[in-house]
């Protein structure tokens, strides 16, 4: 049991049927004795296969947009720690339907904060002393970088997509509930996660599945937008450290690492070509997979570059990523290759066939 949590500890994880939340739930179940309450509306991107049946896992199928359901769930969970991951998370979907992002990410966070505040105020002194509300956020709240610099805890907020604006709003609400109502909060802002069990609508699983199906691989715009990639299990390490040892009221930025601790910033073109060359080695076809890469119209408002300075969480909490981008990406490609049935199942359940989403009339076609 490497996680040292107090005895009879109760954790409420929201969004625990999603990509990152399910990795948090698995870790809590396998590495602690905590009772884990998983509050999730079970949306299109949810799946519980990676968790399976476990006597300490309690699913609460609740939509945070409902104040009553949220309140009842918080009372049932009676938590010592809340890890709030539930959110609509895909930028392209926020362009097609921003309303759901406002509802889940802003109203949902508000409802949760109100219920948790009531819960916190009636806890015994002993439990109140150890209680934490951990809000899991994104580097996208900081906006878009040029070719230089990195986001840190001191960077001003400048969100530019409906998704990032809704996450920024939720961060502000969490800070306000701390300063005004004394809720003991910790916030983390992380870069792009990748790894097994990610719903195949985000770049890395999309590229793997399109390549294996022999379909064209869509590269938005000029393909030179840069992201800072972090293997999901390394993010979970950071989350559990921040949740249990983070300073109340503090923010921690979390980002990735490449070979030998170098930065894990990569252009999309670089990521796509690397996936193609891994596939060329492990599942060769007559022609190189890279021949399938096709530039398509850009994402409206496409942020150019994200890069994270993780030095605060490394220095203060001793976190560092264990997986280089090169190792993590290879493991991820292999995982998808061996789990194509799961991909088919979740795509079918979601009614999503891999078509392009998130383009408005203003998007211009750039490239062939
Ligand atoms: P995901 O889309 O895979 O999972 C999100 C889960 O939240 C889903 O199971 C969904 O059903 C649930 N959910 C959404 N709205 C809800 C609501 N109103 N009520 C109850 N449940 C609801 O997302 P993810 O990639 O696992 O991201 C989890 C969190 O981490 C999000 O808050 C996201 O902003 C943040 N984050 C993600 C990344 C990334 O690269 N994926 C990076 C940094 C931060
Ligand atoms: O930075 C953290 C964020 O990372 C999280 O907060 C979000 O929840 C998560 O979805 C992710 O957002 P991105 O928009 O960066 O991820 P996505 O995988 O959608 O896109 C990554 C990059 O790849 C982006 O520049 C757009 C581009 N792209 C994406 C897809 C799906 C393509 O070129 N082709 C594609 O088919």
């Amino acid at each position: 049991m490497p996680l040292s949590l107090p005895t009879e500890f109760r954790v409420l994880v929201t969004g625990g049927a999603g990509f990152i939340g399910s990795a948090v739930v698995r870790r809590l179940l396998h590495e602690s004795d905590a009772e884990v309450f998983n509050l999730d509306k079970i949306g299109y991107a949810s799946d519980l296969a990676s968790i399976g049946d476990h006597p300490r896992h309690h699913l609460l199928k609740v939509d945070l947009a409902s104040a009553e359901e949220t309140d009842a769930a918080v009372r049932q969970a009676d938590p010592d720690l809340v890890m709030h991951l539930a959110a609509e998370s895909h930028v392209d979907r926020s362009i097609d339907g921003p309303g759901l992002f406002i509802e889940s990410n802003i109203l949902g966070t508000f409802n949760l904060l109100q219920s948790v505040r009531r819960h916190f105020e009636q806890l015994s002194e002993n439990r109140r002393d150890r209680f934490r509300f951990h809000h899991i956020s994104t580097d996208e709240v900081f906006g878009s970088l040029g070719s230089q610099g990195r986001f840190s805890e001191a960077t001003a907020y400048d969100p530019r997509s409906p998704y990032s604006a809704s996450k920024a709003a939720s961060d502000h609400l969490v800070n306000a509930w701390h300063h005004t109502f004394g809720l003991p909060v910790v916030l983390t802002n992380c870069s792009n996660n990748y790894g097994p069990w990610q719903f195949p609508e985000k770049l890395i699983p999309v590229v793997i599945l399109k390549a294996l199906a022999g379909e064209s691989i869509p590269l938005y715009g000029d393909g030179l937008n840069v992201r800072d990639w972090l293997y999901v299990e390394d993010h979970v390490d950071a989350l559990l450290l921040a949740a249990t040892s983070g300073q109340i009221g503090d923010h921690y930025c979390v980002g990735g690492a490449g070979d030998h601790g170098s930065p894990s910033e990569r252009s999309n073109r670089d990521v796509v070509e690397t996936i193609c060359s891994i596939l060329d080695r492990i599942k060769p076809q007559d022609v190189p997979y890279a021949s399938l890469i096709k530039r398509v119209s850009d994402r409206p408002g496409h942020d150019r570059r994200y890069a994270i300075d993780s030095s605060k969480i490394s220095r203060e909490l001793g976190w560092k990523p264990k997986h280089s981008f090169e190792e993590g990406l290879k493991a991820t490609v292999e995982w998808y290759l061996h789990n194509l049935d799961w991909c088919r199942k979740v795509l079918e359940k979601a009614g999503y066939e891999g078509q392009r989403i998130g383009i408005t009339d203003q998007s211009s076609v750039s490239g062939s």
Side-chain angles (χ1 to χ4, degrees), residues 277-301:
S277 64
I278 294 172
L279 283 172
D280 285 337
R281 280 200 304 279
I282 64 178
K283 183 104 179 123
Q285 303 281 10
D286 294 344
V287 287
Y289 287 97
S291 63
L292 296 169
I293 299 172
K294 186 168 186 285
R295 281 175 56 189
V296 296
S297 58
D298 208 353
R299 170 185 281 174

Short mmCIF file of all heavy atoms in Angstrom, two decimals, residues 277-301:
data_model
loop_
_atom_site.label_atom_id
_atom_site.label_comp_id
_atom_site.label_asym_id
_atom_site.label_seq_id
_atom_site.Cartn_x
_atom_site.Cartn_y
_atom_site.Cartn_z
N SER A 277 6.17 6.15 -37.27
CA SER A 277 7.39 5.34 -37.36
C SER A 277 7.37 4.20 -36.34
O SER A 277 7.92 3.12 -36.61
CB SER A 277 8.65 6.21 -37.28
OG SER A 277 8.70 6.82 -36.04
N ILE A 278 6.72 4.40 -35.19
CA ILE A 278 6.58 3.27 -34.24
C ILE A 278 5.75 2.16 -34.91
O ILE A 278 6.10 0.97 -34.88
CB ILE A 278 5.91 3.73 -32.92
CG1 ILE A 278 6.80 4.71 -32.17
CG2 ILE A 278 5.56 2.53 -32.04
CD1 ILE A 278 6.14 5.38 -30.96
N LEU A 279 4.64 2.56 -35.56
CA LEU A 279 3.79 1.57 -36.22
C LEU A 279 4.53 0.88 -37.37
O LEU A 279 4.37 -0.33 -37.59
CB LEU A 279 2.51 2.23 -36.73
CG LEU A 279 1.45 2.52 -35.66
CD1 LEU A 279 0.31 3.36 -36.24
CD2 LEU A 279 0.90 1.24 -35.04
N ASP A 280 5.37 1.65 -38.10
CA ASP A 280 6.15 1.02 -39.18
C ASP A 280 7.01 -0.11 -38.62
O ASP A 280 7.23 -1.13 -39.29
CB ASP A 280 7.07 2.06 -39.85
CG ASP A 280 6.30 3.02 -40.77
OD1 ASP A 280 5.20 2.65 -41.23
OD2 ASP A 280 6.80 4.14 -41.01
N ARG A 281 7.50 0.07 -37.39
CA ARG A 281 8.36 -0.96 -36.79
C ARG A 281 7.54 -2.13 -36.26
O ARG A 281 7.89 -3.29 -36.48
CB ARG A 281 9.17 -0.37 -35.62
CG ARG A 281 10.40 0.41 -36.05
CD ARG A 281 11.40 0.54 -34.91
NE ARG A 281 10.84 1.15 -33.72
CZ ARG A 281 10.67 2.48 -33.55
NH1 ARG A 281 11.00 3.32 -34.52
NH2 ARG A 281 10.18 2.95 -32.42
N ILE A 282 6.44 -1.86 -35.56
CA ILE A 282 5.76 -2.96 -34.87
C ILE A 282 4.61 -3.57 -35.68
O ILE A 282 4.18 -4.67 -35.39
CB ILE A 282 5.30 -2.57 -33.44
CG1 ILE A 282 4.25 -1.45 -33.46
CG2 ILE A 282 6.47 -2.19 -32.56
CD1 ILE A 282 3.74 -1.07 -32.08
N LYS A 283 4.11 -2.87 -36.68
CA LYS A 283 3.01 -3.41 -37.50
C LYS A 283 3.20 -2.92 -38.94
O LYS A 283 2.41 -2.11 -39.46
CB LYS A 283 1.68 -2.91 -36.91
CG LYS A 283 0.44 -3.41 -37.58
CD LYS A 283 -0.25 -4.48 -36.76
CE LYS A 283 -1.53 -4.92 -37.48
NZ LYS A 283 -1.58 -6.32 -37.77
N PRO A 284 4.29 -3.37 -39.59
CA PRO A 284 4.60 -2.81 -40.90
C PRO A 284 3.53 -3.11 -41.96
O PRO A 284 2.92 -4.17 -41.94
CB PRO A 284 5.94 -3.48 -41.28
CG PRO A 284 6.16 -4.57 -40.29
CD PRO A 284 5.24 -4.39 -39.14
N GLN A 285 3.32 -2.13 -42.84
CA GLN A 285 2.43 -2.29 -44.00
C GLN A 285 3.28 -2.09 -45.26
O GLN A 285 4.46 -1.76 -45.16
CB GLN A 285 1.33 -1.22 -43.98
CG GLN A 285 0.47 -1.20 -42.73
CD GLN A 285 -0.61 -2.28 -42.71
OE1 GLN A 285 -0.62 -3.18 -43.56
NE2 GLN A 285 -1.50 -2.21 -41.73
N ASP A 286 2.64 -2.22 -46.44
CA ASP A 286 3.40 -2.09 -47.69
C ASP A 286 4.00 -0.68 -47.85
O ASP A 286 5.10 -0.52 -48.36
CB ASP A 286 2.49 -2.36 -48.90
CG ASP A 286 2.04 -3.81 -48.90
OD1 ASP A 286 2.69 -4.61 -48.17
OD2 ASP A 286 1.05 -4.14 -49.58
N VAL A 287 3.21 0.33 -47.42
CA VAL A 287 3.72 1.71 -47.54
C VAL A 287 3.84 2.31 -46.13
O VAL A 287 3.11 1.90 -45.23
CB VAL A 287 2.75 2.61 -48.38
CG1 VAL A 287 2.81 2.29 -49.84
CG2 VAL A 287 1.33 2.54 -47.84
N PRO A 288 4.76 3.26 -45.95
CA PRO A 288 4.89 3.86 -44.61
C PRO A 288 3.59 4.54 -44.17
O PRO A 288 2.89 5.14 -45.00
CB PRO A 288 6.01 4.90 -44.77
CG PRO A 288 6.58 4.70 -46.12
CD PRO A 288 5.66 3.86 -46.93
N TYR A 289 3.27 4.45 -42.89
CA TYR A 289 2.04 5.06 -42.37
C TYR A 289 2.03 6.58 -42.61
O TYR A 289 0.97 7.18 -42.77
CB TYR A 289 1.89 4.77 -40.88
CG TYR A 289 1.50 3.33 -40.58
CD1 TYR A 289 2.46 2.39 -40.25
CD2 TYR A 289 0.17 2.92 -40.64
CE1 TYR A 289 2.11 1.07 -39.97
CE2 TYR A 289 -0.19 1.61 -40.36
CZ TYR A 289 0.77 0.69 -40.03
OH TYR A 289 0.42 -0.61 -39.76
N ALA A 290 3.23 7.19 -42.63
CA ALA A 290 3.29 8.65 -42.78
C ALA A 290 2.65 9.11 -44.09
O ALA A 290 2.26 10.28 -44.21
CB ALA A 290 4.73 9.12 -42.69
N SER A 291 2.54 8.20 -45.05
CA SER A 291 1.92 8.60 -46.33
C SER A 291 0.43 8.92 -46.13
O SER A 291 -0.21 9.49 -47.02
CB SER A 291 2.10 7.52 -47.40
OG SER A 291 1.43 6.35 -46.97
N LEU A 292 -0.14 8.53 -44.98
CA LEU A 292 -1.56 8.81 -44.71
C LEU A 292 -1.79 10.21 -44.11
O LEU A 292 -2.93 10.65 -43.99
CB LEU A 292 -2.12 7.77 -43.74
CG LEU A 292 -2.16 6.31 -44.23
CD1 LEU A 292 -2.47 5.37 -43.05
CD2 LEU A 292 -3.21 6.14 -45.32
N ILE A 293 -0.71 10.89 -43.71
CA ILE A 293 -0.87 12.18 -43.02
C ILE A 293 -1.42 13.21 -44.00
O ILE A 293 -0.93 13.36 -45.13
CB ILE A 293 0.48 12.68 -42.45
CG1 ILE A 293 1.02 11.68 -41.43
CG2 ILE A 293 0.32 14.07 -41.83
CD1 ILE A 293 2.44 11.97 -40.94
N LYS A 294 -2.48 13.92 -43.57
CA LYS A 294 -3.12 14.91 -44.45
C LYS A 294 -3.37 16.19 -43.67
O LYS A 294 -3.98 16.15 -42.60
CB LYS A 294 -4.45 14.35 -44.95
CG LYS A 294 -5.13 15.20 -45.97
CD LYS A 294 -6.28 14.42 -46.62
CE LYS A 294 -6.91 15.18 -47.76
NZ LYS A 294 -7.75 16.27 -47.32
N ARG A 295 -2.86 17.30 -44.19
CA ARG A 295 -3.17 18.59 -43.54
C ARG A 295 -4.62 18.96 -43.82
O ARG A 295 -5.08 18.87 -44.95
CB ARG A 295 -2.22 19.66 -44.04
CG ARG A 295 -0.85 19.55 -43.35
CD ARG A 295 0.14 20.51 -43.89
NE ARG A 295 -0.35 21.89 -43.82
CZ ARG A 295 0.27 22.92 -44.40
NH1 ARG A 295 1.37 22.72 -45.10
NH2 ARG A 295 -0.23 24.13 -44.29
N VAL A 296 -5.31 19.36 -42.76
CA VAL A 296 -6.73 19.72 -42.89
C VAL A 296 -6.93 21.12 -42.31
O VAL A 296 -6.00 21.68 -41.70
CB VAL A 296 -7.65 18.70 -42.16
CG1 VAL A 296 -7.54 17.32 -42.80
CG2 VAL A 296 -7.33 18.63 -40.67
N SER A 297 -8.14 21.67 -42.48
CA SER A 297 -8.37 23.04 -42.01
C SER A 297 -8.07 23.14 -40.52
O SER A 297 -8.24 22.17 -39.76
CB SER A 297 -9.81 23.46 -42.29
OG SER A 297 -10.69 22.57 -41.67
N ASP A 298 -7.64 24.32 -40.12
CA ASP A 298 -7.18 24.50 -38.75
C ASP A 298 -8.36 24.55 -37.78
O ASP A 298 -9.49 24.86 -38.16
CB ASP A 298 -6.36 25.81 -38.65
CG ASP A 298 -5.32 25.74 -37.55
OD1 ASP A 298 -5.33 24.75 -36.78
OD2 ASP A 298 -4.50 26.67 -37.46
N ARG A 299 -8.06 24.27 -36.50
CA ARG A 299 -9.04 24.46 -35.42
C ARG A 299 -9.24 25.97 -35.22
O ARG A 299 -8.25 26.71 -35.11
CB ARG A 299 -8.48 23.82 -34.15
CG ARG A 299 -9.25 24.12 -32.90
CD ARG A 299 -8.55 23.53 -31.67
NE ARG A 299 -8.77 22.11 -31.52
CZ ARG A 299 -8.17 21.35 -30.61
NH1 ARG A 299 -7.29 21.87 -29.77
NH2 ARG A 299 -8.43 20.06 -30.52
N PRO A 300 -10.47 26.46 -35.17
CA PRO A 300 -10.68 27.89 -34.90
C PRO A 300 -10.07 28.27 -33.54
O PRO A 300 -10.26 27.54 -32.56
CB PRO A 300 -12.20 28.05 -34.87
CG PRO A 300 -12.74 26.84 -35.55
CD PRO A 300 -11.74 25.74 -35.33
N GLY A 301 -9.35 29.38 -33.51
CA GLY A 301 -8.75 29.85 -32.25
C GLY A 301 -7.66 28.92 -31.72
O GLY A 301 -7.39 28.91 -30.52
#
